Amino acid sequence: MRSLPRGKAPMLGRFMSRRQFAQSTAALSLSALLPRALFSAPASNAQEIVIHTDNEIGTVRPELHGQFAEHVGSCIYGGLWVGKNSPIPNINGYRKAAVEYLRELGIPVLRWPGGCFADDYHWRDGIGPVEKRPKRVNMHWGGYVEDNSFGTDEFIGFCREIGAEPYICGNVGSGTPAELRDWMEYCNFPSGSSLSDARAANGSPEPFKVRYWGVGNENWGCGGAMTGREYGDLYRRFAVFAPSFGGIKPFLIACGPNRNDAVWSRDFMSGLSPRLLPDGFAMHYYAEGGMPSDAYSNEGMTAQLATFPLLEQAVIQQRALLDGYDSGRNIALIVDEWGVHDRLASAEEKEYGRLWQSCTMRSALAVALGLNLFNRQADKLLMCNLAQMVNVRAPLLQTDGPKGQQCLRTTVYHVFALFKPHRAKKALRVETQNPSSAEFSVSASRAGSDLILTFINARDGADVQVECSLRGERAGAASAQILHSDDSNAGNSFDHPDQISPQTHPVNLDGETVLIDLPRLSVVTASAQLA
Ligand code: AHR
């Protein structure tokens, strides 16, 4: 059985011949002493995979790596927004460290202001001189007083700082079609109307050109507790009053189901008129856990990760359901909120804000399983937004409280970084024993001669040796990066902010085969150049 040393190997991450590969492990592995025939016999944890390098599924749209930021806890206030007069280093009020980390990762699209908050938000509260903005109670997230200092102009400014496309979620539950229509005019009409002139007076003569508009959020729950039919009736009214402004045709995103709720989707779709089909249909799907983030049992982790095959099934089934009403596939399927729900700790929530959760190696594996399945279902998805970007649930970044100076990249940030090379490439079909497994997962993508492979070994008890056949193609060079910890409950902390971060990892090439060892609890992305 071949096995590679954990951590820093002698020839890290660059191309090694099969001989060098075997030699590098010789000191640690008996397998190097075994005869060749035995050496290559499939080990008990061997995985044989076929990558169909010429069989494309669809484009891995960068938007599959989208993010979500809501007015909850310290996601906005104290997270990405600290205010212009803050002692915390900032760029026009945006936390500098957050801006820099997010810019480096690249955020394709950012959804705001909610979440549940969206259906209680009135956008006019958040424009104009800050001292004149009304103070309102945030009824969903703890009844704190929201001073509205982060509003539409600040949101667009933030998107511009980090290079993200803005996605605004409108208020259907307690708002009106006129209110949403006016918000669109404020954002997108070039000049000459009272609303566009107000935008110019607020510092932005240039239109914001916001294309993505959500028509409510979770209207089956916190957004109004409606049935699919009731929401469909409202959706039609909102859609009629959502014209193009400044040549920007709004891309209207309707509220989709909770998880794989087919009743909601059918009720909604069957009441629509063909003239008013939404552009997008947004489902929400979280991996519930129920244990404290840093104290999961093995069984608890297995149960939580088992959500991801269900999410994959939901994507396939909801896509098929939509196709039944819209054979031309004009309605895009979106996973608008997804991520990891652990048991919240009230002491941490008190100190750091509502929905605060720690990120661990387990969270990283969970998010990687999600991103791998989005690659595999790339032909069915337009956009997927992680909940949430800063300080809430399993975020990319965490700060040491709303007033804290520190900002760290979580294990989840590093998973997104490992998936970044897939963006805009064509997802490829991969043959494995169980393509949708929550224990061992693979995805692949390609652009020209660049081949990207991501492997996840989510098992806590077994290393895996992967033999990946490229069927008729050869890779001339390869390198790999690994995110790994022996402890699924370990994460990055303010004392050890980089404890779990990507490291180079050995990869071996042998003709048409890529060989790679995955320690237990690891995510590995390999990049190969096809010869
Ligand atoms: O992400 C937190 C909340 O989860 C959102 O506000 C809501 O849409 C979902 O239920």
Side-chain angles (χ1 to χ4, degrees), residues 79 95 97-98 101 390 397-400 404-409 494 497:
R95 189 185 279 266
Y101 284 143
V390 184
L397 301 177
Q398 275 181 331
T399 65
D400 52 341
Q405 295 266 351
Q406 299 191 71
C407 178
L408 63 74
R409 288 168 296 179
F494 294 106

mmCIF file of all heavy atoms in Angstrom, residues 79 95 97-98 101 390 397-400 404-409 494 497:
data_model
loop_
_atom_site.group_PDB
_atom_site.id
_atom_site.type_symbol
_atom_site.label_atom_id
_atom_site.label_comp_id
_atom_site.label_asym_id
_atom_site.label_seq_id
_atom_site.Cartn_x
_atom_site.Cartn_y
_atom_site.Cartn_z
ATOM 1 N N GLY A 79 -18.142 43.681 10.793
ATOM 2 C CA GLY A 79 -17.519 42.654 9.966
ATOM 3 C C GLY A 79 -16.886 43.314 8.757
ATOM 4 O O GLY A 79 -15.713 43.704 8.782
ATOM 5 N N ARG A 95 -13.743 47.420 6.251
ATOM 6 C CA ARG A 95 -12.589 46.830 6.949
ATOM 7 C C ARG A 95 -11.515 46.456 5.914
ATOM 8 O O ARG A 95 -11.765 45.648 5.014
ATOM 9 C CB ARG A 95 -13.039 45.585 7.730
ATOM 10 C CG ARG A 95 -11.990 45.020 8.648
ATOM 11 C CD ARG A 95 -12.487 43.733 9.272
ATOM 12 N NE ARG A 95 -13.358 43.944 10.409
ATOM 13 C CZ ARG A 95 -12.960 43.965 11.686
ATOM 14 N NH1 ARG A 95 -11.670 43.791 11.971
ATOM 15 N NH2 ARG A 95 -13.832 44.139 12.661
ATOM 16 N N ALA A 97 -8.676 44.740 6.001
ATOM 17 C CA ALA A 97 -8.212 43.347 5.870
ATOM 18 C C ALA A 97 -9.246 42.523 5.111
ATOM 19 O O ALA A 97 -8.891 41.681 4.276
ATOM 20 C CB ALA A 97 -7.952 42.750 7.241
ATOM 21 N N ALA A 98 -10.530 42.788 5.390
ATOM 22 C CA ALA A 98 -11.588 42.026 4.700
ATOM 23 C C ALA A 98 -11.550 42.324 3.204
ATOM 24 O O ALA A 98 -11.615 41.414 2.370
ATOM 25 C CB ALA A 98 -12.952 42.356 5.294
ATOM 26 N N TYR A 101 -8.520 40.497 1.641
ATOM 27 C CA TYR A 101 -8.690 39.042 1.504
ATOM 28 C C TYR A 101 -9.732 38.700 0.435
ATOM 29 O O TYR A 101 -9.576 37.750 -0.328
ATOM 30 C CB TYR A 101 -9.121 38.425 2.837
ATOM 31 C CG TYR A 101 -8.011 38.296 3.860
ATOM 32 C CD1 TYR A 101 -8.263 38.515 5.219
ATOM 33 C CD2 TYR A 101 -6.721 37.936 3.488
ATOM 34 C CE1 TYR A 101 -7.256 38.375 6.179
ATOM 35 C CE2 TYR A 101 -5.704 37.800 4.443
ATOM 36 C CZ TYR A 101 -5.983 38.020 5.778
ATOM 37 O OH TYR A 101 -4.997 37.888 6.715
ATOM 38 N N VAL A 390 -19.096 36.902 6.041
ATOM 39 C CA VAL A 390 -18.265 37.319 7.183
ATOM 40 C C VAL A 390 -19.003 37.037 8.494
ATOM 41 O O VAL A 390 -20.170 37.433 8.659
ATOM 42 C CB VAL A 390 -17.931 38.838 7.114
ATOM 43 C CG1 VAL A 390 -16.982 39.247 8.235
ATOM 44 C CG2 VAL A 390 -17.329 39.202 5.772
ATOM 45 N N LEU A 397 -14.560 34.763 6.282
ATOM 46 C CA LEU A 397 -13.712 35.568 7.162
ATOM 47 C C LEU A 397 -14.343 35.681 8.537
ATOM 48 O O LEU A 397 -15.566 35.754 8.658
ATOM 49 C CB LEU A 397 -13.560 36.990 6.597
ATOM 50 C CG LEU A 397 -12.952 37.126 5.200
ATOM 51 C CD1 LEU A 397 -12.935 38.588 4.777
ATOM 52 C CD2 LEU A 397 -11.534 36.552 5.146
ATOM 53 N N GLN A 398 -13.474 35.726 9.560
ATOM 54 C CA GLN A 398 -13.971 35.995 10.911
ATOM 55 C C GLN A 398 -13.149 37.094 11.546
ATOM 56 O O GLN A 398 -11.925 37.157 11.366
ATOM 57 C CB GLN A 398 -13.908 34.729 11.768
ATOM 58 C CG GLN A 398 -15.151 33.875 11.560
ATOM 59 C CD GLN A 398 -15.186 32.618 12.395
ATOM 60 O OE1 GLN A 398 -14.140 32.077 12.718
ATOM 61 N NE2 GLN A 398 -16.373 32.153 12.720
ATOM 62 N N THR A 399 -13.853 37.952 12.288
ATOM 63 C CA THR A 399 -13.164 39.003 13.032
ATOM 64 C C THR A 399 -13.328 38.693 14.514
ATOM 65 O O THR A 399 -14.249 37.965 14.894
ATOM 66 C CB THR A 399 -13.766 40.389 12.724
ATOM 67 O OG1 THR A 399 -15.106 40.420 13.215
ATOM 68 C CG2 THR A 399 -13.774 40.660 11.227
ATOM 69 N N ASP A 400 -12.452 39.266 15.334
ATOM 70 C CA ASP A 400 -12.562 38.989 16.772
ATOM 71 C C ASP A 400 -13.587 39.950 17.380
ATOM 72 O O ASP A 400 -13.266 40.828 18.163
ATOM 73 C CB ASP A 400 -11.201 39.059 17.474
ATOM 74 C CG ASP A 400 -10.450 40.346 17.183
ATOM 75 O OD1 ASP A 400 -10.774 41.022 16.185
ATOM 76 O OD2 ASP A 400 -9.546 40.697 17.962
ATOM 77 N N GLY A 404 -13.272 44.168 17.148
ATOM 78 C CA GLY A 404 -11.921 43.593 17.117
ATOM 79 C C GLY A 404 -11.129 44.029 15.894
ATOM 80 O O GLY A 404 -11.684 44.302 14.836
ATOM 81 N N GLN A 405 -9.813 44.095 16.066
ATOM 82 C CA GLN A 405 -8.914 44.521 14.990
ATOM 83 C C GLN A 405 -8.572 43.365 14.060
ATOM 84 O O GLN A 405 -8.166 43.572 12.932
ATOM 85 C CB GLN A 405 -7.587 45.020 15.609
ATOM 86 C CG GLN A 405 -7.705 46.261 16.452
ATOM 87 C CD GLN A 405 -7.429 47.519 15.644
ATOM 88 O OE1 GLN A 405 -6.986 47.434 14.507
ATOM 89 N NE2 GLN A 405 -7.718 48.679 16.218
ATOM 90 N N GLN A 406 -8.710 42.123 14.577
ATOM 91 C CA GLN A 406 -8.197 40.997 13.799
ATOM 92 C C GLN A 406 -9.231 40.463 12.813
ATOM 93 O O GLN A 406 -10.430 40.518 13.063
ATOM 94 C CB GLN A 406 -7.791 39.870 14.741
ATOM 95 C CG GLN A 406 -6.699 40.276 15.708
ATOM 96 C CD GLN A 406 -6.152 39.057 16.415
ATOM 97 O OE1 GLN A 406 -5.475 38.239 15.815
ATOM 98 N NE2 GLN A 406 -6.466 38.928 17.694
ATOM 99 N N CYS A 407 -8.723 39.931 11.747
ATOM 100 C CA CYS A 407 -9.592 39.344 10.718
ATOM 101 C C CYS A 407 -8.839 38.152 10.146
ATOM 102 O O CYS A 407 -7.706 38.304 9.677
ATOM 103 C CB CYS A 407 -9.846 40.393 9.641
ATOM 104 S SG CYS A 407 -10.847 39.805 8.263
ATOM 105 N N LEU A 408 -9.441 36.972 10.234
ATOM 106 C CA LEU A 408 -8.724 35.794 9.726
ATOM 107 C C LEU A 408 -9.485 35.112 8.601
ATOM 108 O O LEU A 408 -10.699 35.275 8.457
ATOM 109 C CB LEU A 408 -8.410 34.814 10.856
ATOM 110 C CG LEU A 408 -9.529 34.127 11.637
ATOM 111 C CD1 LEU A 408 -10.225 33.023 10.865
ATOM 112 C CD2 LEU A 408 -8.916 33.529 12.913
ATOM 113 N N ARG A 409 -8.719 34.379 7.818
ATOM 114 C CA ARG A 409 -9.313 33.553 6.765
ATOM 115 C C ARG A 409 -9.636 32.194 7.379
ATOM 116 O O ARG A 409 -8.765 31.548 7.951
ATOM 117 C CB ARG A 409 -8.324 33.381 5.610
ATOM 118 C CG ARG A 409 -8.141 34.638 4.793
ATOM 119 C CD ARG A 409 -6.965 34.533 3.866
ATOM 120 N NE ARG A 409 -5.720 34.405 4.625
ATOM 121 C CZ ARG A 409 -4.519 34.271 4.080
ATOM 122 N NH1 ARG A 409 -4.396 34.227 2.783
ATOM 123 N NH2 ARG A 409 -3.444 34.172 4.832
ATOM 124 N N PHE A 494 -7.601 33.116 16.462
ATOM 125 C CA PHE A 494 -6.870 34.381 16.430
ATOM 126 C C PHE A 494 -5.436 34.205 16.942
ATOM 127 O O PHE A 494 -4.545 34.948 16.566
ATOM 128 C CB PHE A 494 -7.645 35.474 17.160
ATOM 129 C CG PHE A 494 -8.914 35.774 16.431
ATOM 130 C CD1 PHE A 494 -10.143 35.356 16.929
ATOM 131 C CD2 PHE A 494 -8.888 36.394 15.190
ATOM 132 C CE1 PHE A 494 -11.302 35.572 16.214
ATOM 133 C CE2 PHE A 494 -10.044 36.612 14.464
ATOM 134 C CZ PHE A 494 -11.259 36.206 14.983
ATOM 135 N N PRO A 497 -3.910 31.927 13.367
ATOM 136 C CA PRO A 497 -4.816 32.212 12.256
ATOM 137 C C PRO A 497 -4.553 31.382 10.996
ATOM 138 O O PRO A 497 -5.431 31.243 10.158
ATOM 139 C CB PRO A 497 -4.592 33.707 11.979
ATOM 140 C CG PRO A 497 -3.292 34.041 12.610
ATOM 141 C CD PRO A 497 -3.076 33.083 13.727
#
